[in-house]
């Protein structure tokens, strides 16, 4: 499936241009299936389970960016501070010119916490435990968020972090 065909799913041309530049002209098979067979751009919940390097992360990015451009706030959850920083830098570099406001929150990055609490963002990249802590003090944050992308969901089976992630996902639901 060509990236250009995503125009049929109301993906704006400027976003399609960014995607062509960043991932190429064609989607990978798992990305195509997420769009065509599983309704990535619809209202359903979706869990993508596939091998490493198959394109799962870009599926989450596509969903997040399309939602953000449709005025839906997005929590993009990651398990580690370093991954949060990497994802924040990547999304910000790709989409800042497209008018998508990307912020980050982790143990090391707190400068956007007030903006997140007040709903002044479009995509918030947040470490699992940090979002849990933010929700304790400001549960009303959930009222403004319409999409949650969880990267590295397999950590739900981790004996140390899994229960906290499960509790966070239960709160989000």
């Amino acid at each position: 499936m060509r990236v250009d065909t995503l125009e049929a799913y109301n993906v704006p041309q400027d976003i399609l241009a960014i995607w062509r530049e960043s991932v190429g002209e064609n989607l990978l098979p798992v990305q195509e299936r997420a769009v065509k067979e599983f309704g990535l751009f619809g209202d359903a919940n979706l869990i993508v389970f596939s091998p490493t390097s198959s394109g799962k992360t870009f599926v989450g990015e596509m969903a997040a960016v399309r939602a953000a451009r449709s005025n839906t706030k997005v929590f993009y959850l990651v398990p580690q501070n370093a991954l949060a920083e990497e994802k924040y830098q990547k999304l910000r570099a790709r989409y800042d010119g497209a008018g998508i406001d990307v912020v980050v929150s982790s143990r090391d990055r707190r400068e956007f916490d007030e903006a997140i609490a007040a709903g002044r963002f479009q995509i918030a990249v947040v470490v699992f435990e940090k979002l849990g802590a933010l929700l304790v003090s400001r549960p009303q944050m959930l009222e403004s968020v319409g999409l949650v992308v969880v990267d590295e969901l397999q950590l739900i089976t981790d004996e140390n972090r899994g229960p906290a992630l499960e509790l966070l996902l239960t709160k989000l639901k």
Side-chain angles (χ1 to χ4, degrees):
M1 174 179 215
R2 294 185 56 81
V3 168
D4 289 336
T5 62
L6 297 176
E7 184 178 19
Y9 297 92
N10 298 317
V11 177
Q13 283 296 324
D14 61 331
I15 298 301
L16 293 176
I18 292 168
W19 290 351
R20 280 192 309 273
E21 183 179 314
S22 59
V23 299
E25 295 290 328
N26 296 301
L27 295 177
L28 295 173
V30 73
Q31 297 159 350
E32 181 176 351
R33 287 190 71 201
V35 172
K36 284 184 170 179
E37 296 176 36
F38 302 113
L40 175 66
F41 298 129
D43 293 332
N45 293 323
L46 179 64
I47 295 177
V48 178
F49 180 77
S50 66
T52 300
S53 298
S54 62
K56 296 182 300 288
T57 298
F58 189 65
V59 170
E61 183 175 326
M62 287 190 298
V65 168
R66 183 164 176 282
R69 281 300 288 270
S70 300
N71 296 317
T72 298
K73 296 194 184 316
V74 178
F75 281 144
Y76 195 109
L77 303 180
V78 295
Q80 301 166 335
N81 294 342
L83 190 54
E85 185 64 27
E86 178 184 319
K87 181 56 68 175
Y88 165 68
Q89 294 295 341
K90 180 185 269 185
L91 292 176
R92 191 166 161 229
R94 278 189 188 164
Y95 303 109
D96 193 46
I100 296 177
D101 185 24
V102 180
V103 298
V104 64
S105 183
S106 67
R107 183 174 24 121
D108 302 331
R109 297 289 302 262
R110 297 180 175 135
E111 67 268 26
F112 295 109
D113 288 1
E114 286 301 316
I116 292 170
R120 294 188 315 268
F121 67 92
Q122 289 173 294
I123 299 175
V125 180
V126 187
V127 174
F128 301 157
E129 290 83 0
K130 181 64 182 267
L131 182 59
L134 289 170
L135 288 173
V136 167
S137 61
R138 299 201 176 121
Q140 69 277 11
M141 286 188 330
L142 291 179
E143 296 169 12
S144 66
V145 175
L147 176 67
V148 177
V149 174
V150 182
D151 205 350
E152 305 293 337
L153 180 61
Q154 74 274 12
L155 284 176
I156 202 162
T157 63
D158 180 87
E159 66 182 48
N160 295 316
R161 296 181 74 197
L165 177 56
E166 186 175 355
L167 181 61
L168 174 62
L169 295 176
T170 300
K171 285 181 185 179
L172 291 171
K173 188 167 177 12

